[in-house]
């Protein structure tokens, strides 16, 4: 094990008779780099090909109004700090501890206002408790998926949950489901909705990443042994993949030049959005059972809209992690949930984060930022009146139109089964599939991406290619842009 493993990666050979490395990783998100970590520890050589100019995938920190904010993944979900033996250690929390990543506990402290600016927190909490009771009922339902599967909305309605009774219940419905799934419960499979698995397995606490190095630093930490070698090729975009038994080749555009990398195996970790868009062509075309599995998932948009002011005018709500707006019109959900994120960041900048999901997210992402600015101000004035603070900057990162992702993180459509997850992750000849979407229990999470990458690398190491063909290294292509 060592840097010498990567020496052949500097030249693209373009044939399986003279492969470029034992493992070619296309995509340096959490899934791809965790797989590389496992391969490195198993003395299996590899190359990483990443379309962006740095690692991280859908974990991305940017500079905004003098602070570092996360435009992608932001939370570590499922943490237990009490050493309770009934919980496993969340692998991402373990990485956070070893890397010294700065986090703050998200206690979900909440204050809610109605459309007239009145405090309706008490009524909203009653509605939230009611939703939780119904949610517990539906998660306990026996549901085999497939033709017997129903949407989360249908299940909630059958249990007796009717959110249209008041603005507070509409808010509870949105806060409890939409702000987690990034889409409406009408669109999501009850069988595939595994929101509680993370908390049942790892603990019931959440932590927000506030480190100036960004959440993506954990990806760098996982790959610290090899990311500074010629194993990593940045600014390298995959355009097509050709595969057969014992051979996988990827055509790429690397810093403006067309190249081909080949090897014995490949692992695709593209987002569901990219796979559905067919932005990357496969030859031969993927079999119908694989296409059907891919079609059973959504990649909705979880839009994080940041707005910075010259001063903080919401100090009366200091200490609350969420500020909600209970409104009658579900279409107004665009600005229902606000996170005073600045109070959690170093130096406490005057920054608010609006979480926007569903159809509203696509509308806000595509409209002129001046329109968004006015809508944000209108929403804030409905709560705080005519404040004097002025807007310094606005940031609207759009994952939906980004051709490397086409969305934020995956969720399952109605009709899914356990077999669907199995088929999504199953190899097609020498081509493997990995990423957060393939994690049945931890779909849509950073720890799901991490564990998926590890499991895929295990499959490759144990396949016989990695160590059984000493004269020709096996190639693993991890084609990915990884999660929030």
């Amino acid at each position: 094990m060592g840097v010498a493993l990567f020496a052949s990666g500097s030249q693209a050979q373009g044939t399986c008779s003279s492969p470029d490395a034992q493992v070619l990783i296309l995509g340096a998100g959490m899934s791809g780099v965790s797989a590389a970590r496992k391969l490195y520890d198993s003395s299996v050589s590899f190359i990483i090909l990443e379309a962006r100019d740095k690692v991280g995938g859908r974990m991305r920190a940017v500079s905004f109004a003098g602070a570092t904010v996360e435009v992608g993944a932001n939370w570590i979900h499922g943490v237990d700090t009490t050493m309770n033996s009934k919980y496993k250690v969340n692998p991402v929390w373990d990485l956070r501890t070893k890397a010294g990543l700065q986090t703050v506990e998200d206690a979900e402290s909440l204050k809610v206002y109605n459309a007239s600016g009145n405090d309706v927190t008490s009524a909203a909490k009653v509605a939230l408790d009611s939703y939780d009771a119904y949610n517990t009922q539906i998660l306990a339902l026996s549901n085999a998926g497939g033709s017997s599967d129903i949407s989360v909305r249908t299940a909630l309605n059958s249990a007796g949950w009717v959110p249209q009774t008041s603005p507070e219940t509409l808010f509870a419905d949105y806060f409890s489901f939409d702000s987690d799934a990034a889409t409406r419960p009408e669109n999501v499979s009850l069988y595939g909705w595994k929101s509680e698995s993370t908390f049942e397995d790892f603990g019931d606490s959440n932590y927000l990443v506030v480190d100036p190095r960004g959440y993506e630093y954990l990806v760098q930490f996982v790959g610290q042994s090899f990311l500074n070698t010629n194993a990593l090729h940045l600014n390298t975009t995959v355009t097509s993949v050709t595969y057969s038994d014992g051979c996988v080749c990827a055509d790429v555009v690397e810093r403006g030049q067309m190249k081909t990398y080949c090897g014995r195996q490949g692992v695709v970790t593209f987002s569901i959005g990219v796979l559905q868009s067919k932005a990357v062509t496969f030859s031969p075309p993927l079999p119908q059972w694989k296409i059907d599995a891919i079609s059973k998932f959504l990649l909705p948009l979880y839009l994080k809209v940041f707005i910075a002011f010259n001063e903080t005018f919401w100090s009366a709500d200091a200490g609350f992690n969420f500020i909600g707006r209970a409104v009658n019109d579900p279409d107004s959900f665009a600005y229902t949930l606000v996170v005073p994120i600045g109070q959690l960041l170093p130096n406490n900048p005057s920054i608010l984060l609006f979480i926007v999901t569903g159809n509203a997210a696509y509308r806000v992402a595509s409209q002129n930022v001046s329109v968004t600015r006015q809508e944000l101000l209108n929403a804030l004035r409905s709560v705080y009146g005519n404040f004097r603070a002025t807007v310094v900057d606005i940031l609207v990162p759009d994952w939906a139109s980004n051709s490397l992702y086409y969305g934020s993180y995956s969720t399952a459509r109605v009709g899914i089964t356990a077999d669907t997850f199995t088929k999504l992750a199953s190899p097609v000849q020498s081509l493997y599939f990995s990423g957060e979407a393939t994690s049945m229990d931890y779909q849509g999470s950073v720890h799901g991406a991490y564990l998926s990458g590890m499991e895929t690398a295990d499959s490759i190491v144990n396949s016989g290619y990695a160590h059984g063909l000493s004269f020709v290294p096996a190639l693993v292509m991890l084609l990915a842009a990884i999660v929030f």
Side-chain angles (χ1 to χ4, degrees):
M1 181 173 65
V3 175
L5 288 174
F6 319 120
S8 64
S10 60
Q11 298 294 325
Q13 302 298 322
T15 66
C16 283
S17 60
S18 182
D20 301 284
Q22 290 185 351
V23 178
L24 175 65
I25 302 174
L26 306 180
M30 181 58 90
S31 183
V33 174
S34 71
R37 172 81 260 175
K38 180 68 176 180
L39 295 168
Y40 179 86
D41 291 342
S42 302
S43 298
V44 178
S45 68
F46 56 86
I47 297 170
I48 305 171
L49 305 182
E50 165 59 43
R52 291 178 56 206
D53 60 358
K54 61 178 180 177
V55 303
R58 284 171 275 172
M59 303 165 73
R60 187 193 305 176
V62 301
S63 179
F64 173 72
T68 299
V69 298
E70 302 286 347
V71 298
N74 213 150
W75 281 267
I76 302 176
H77 297 290
V79 176
D80 170 59
T81 59
T82 67
M83 306 299 290
N84 191 321
S85 60
K86 77 174 184 177
Y87 295 123
K88 299 182 289 186
V89 176
N90 186 319
V92 175
W93 182 253
D94 185 49
L95 289 171
R96 167 263 179 201
T97 302
K98 292 175 180 176
L101 198 73
Q102 297 177 37
T103 57
V104 295
E105 186 172 7
D106 177 5
E108 289 200 352
S109 55
L110 176 68
K111 191 169 184 179
V112 183
Y113 296 89
N114 64 15
S116 300
N118 299 317
D119 186 342
V120 293
T121 303
S122 295
K125 287 185 175 179
V126 170
L128 286 164
D129 289 341
S130 179
Y131 177 94
D132 287 343
Y134 288 115
N135 188 56
T136 299
Q137 290 183 44
I138 69 169
L139 291 177
L141 292 175
S142 175
N143 185 351
S147 60
S148 65
D149 193 19
I150 56 177
S151 72
V152 174
R153 172 63 76 213
T154 299
L156 285 169
N157 289 347
S158 298
W161 172 249
V162 183
Q164 290 80 8
T165 55
S166 72
E168 290 78 19
T169 53
L170 282 170
F171 171 80
D173 194 65
Y174 180 86
F175 182 80
S176 300
F177 190 88
D178 299 46
S179 67
D180 186 3
T183 188
R184 303 251 64 199
E186 290 87 341
N187 302 324
V188 179
S189 158
L190 176 61
Y191 178 79
W193 182 238
K194 305 293 184 180
S195 62
E196 299 304 310
S197 297
T198 285
F199 303 109
E200 291 171 354
D201 291 348
F202 301 122
D204 56 9
S205 295
N206 297 314
Y207 281 76
L208 188 76
V209 175
V210 295
D211 199 295
R213 296 170 294 181
Y215 203 167
E216 65 200 45
Y217 177 71
L218 287 191
V219 180
Q220 300 170 25
F221 183 79
V222 171
Q224 61 185 322
S225 300
F226 49 80
L227 288 178
N228 290 324
T229 70
N230 62 357
L232 176 62
H233 295 237
L234 298 174
N235 299 298
T236 303
T237 303
V238 178
T239 58
S240 63
V241 177
T242 303
Y243 65 95
S244 61
D245 282 327
C247 181
V248 177
C249 292
D251 294 326
V252 305
V253 178
E254 183 173 0
R255 300 184 183 275
Q257 295 186 347
M258 298 180 65
K259 296 182 180 181
T260 299
Y261 290 89
C262 291
R264 296 296 182 185
Q265 291 168 297
V267 179
V268 176
T269 61
F270 287 139
S271 75
I272 284 292
V274 169
L275 290 173
Q276 291 176 348
S277 74
K278 300 181 180 179
V280 177
T281 59
F282 292 87
S283 181
L286 296 176
Q288 192 60 46
W289 61 264
K290 175 66 76 173
I291 294 172
D292 289 344
I294 292 169
S295 71
K296 287 293 186 181
F297 295 87
L298 298 167
L299 198 75
L301 177 59
Y302 184 97
L303 186 66
K304 302 169 74 174
V305 181
F306 297 87
I307 183 167
F309 292 89
N310 65 333
E311 62 183 18
T312 299
F313 55 85
W314 54 90
S315 56
D317 293 333
F320 292 99
N321 287 359
F322 293 94
I323 301 169
R325 294 176 62 245
V327 295
N328 278 310
D329 184 3
D331 289 337
S332 298
F333 284 167
Y335 308 110
T336 292
L337 194 58
V338 189
V339 180
I341 192 81
Q343 68 184 11
L344 304 174
L345 300 175
N347 302 318
N348 305 121
S350 298
I351 299 175
L352 293 173
L353 162 62
F354 283 79
I355 296 173
V356 190
T357 65
N359 292 334
Y362 294 98
R363 176 181 65 79
V364 173
S366 62
Q367 71 188 13
N368 189 285
V369 71
S370 64
V371 176
T372 301
R373 178 184 185 276
Q374 191 58 52
E375 291 178 347
L376 292 171
L377 291 175
N378 290 343
L380 290 170
R381 284 170 180 149
S382 73
V383 173
Y384 297 108
N386 292 319
F387 50 83
R388 292 186 175 183
T390 58
V391 176
V392 174
D393 202 358
I394 294 178
L395 176 63
V396 187
D398 180 12
W399 293 90
S401 64
N402 189 316
S403 61
L404 298 180
Y405 312 105
Y406 290 123
S408 299
Y409 49 85
S410 62
T411 192
R413 298 178 188 268
V414 176
I416 203 160
T417 65
D419 186 56
T420 312
F421 283 94
T422 300
K423 287 180 176 177
L424 184 65
S426 293
V428 179
Q429 296 185 10
S430 296
L431 198 62
Y432 288 73
F433 291 76
S434 185
E436 54 85 10
T438 68
S439 178
M440 181 171 177
D441 289 331
Y442 311 127
Q443 187 182 30
S445 68
V446 175
H447 53 275
Y450 176 86
L451 291 170
S452 173
M454 285 283 182
E455 291 164 3
T456 300
D458 266 335
S459 297
I460 291 161
V461 170
N462 296 327
S463 69
Y465 280 102
H467 298 293
L469 300 175
S470 59
F471 64 99
V472 177
L475 166 66
V476 176
M477 299 168 35
L478 294 165
L479 314 166
I482 303 301
V483 186
F484 289 70

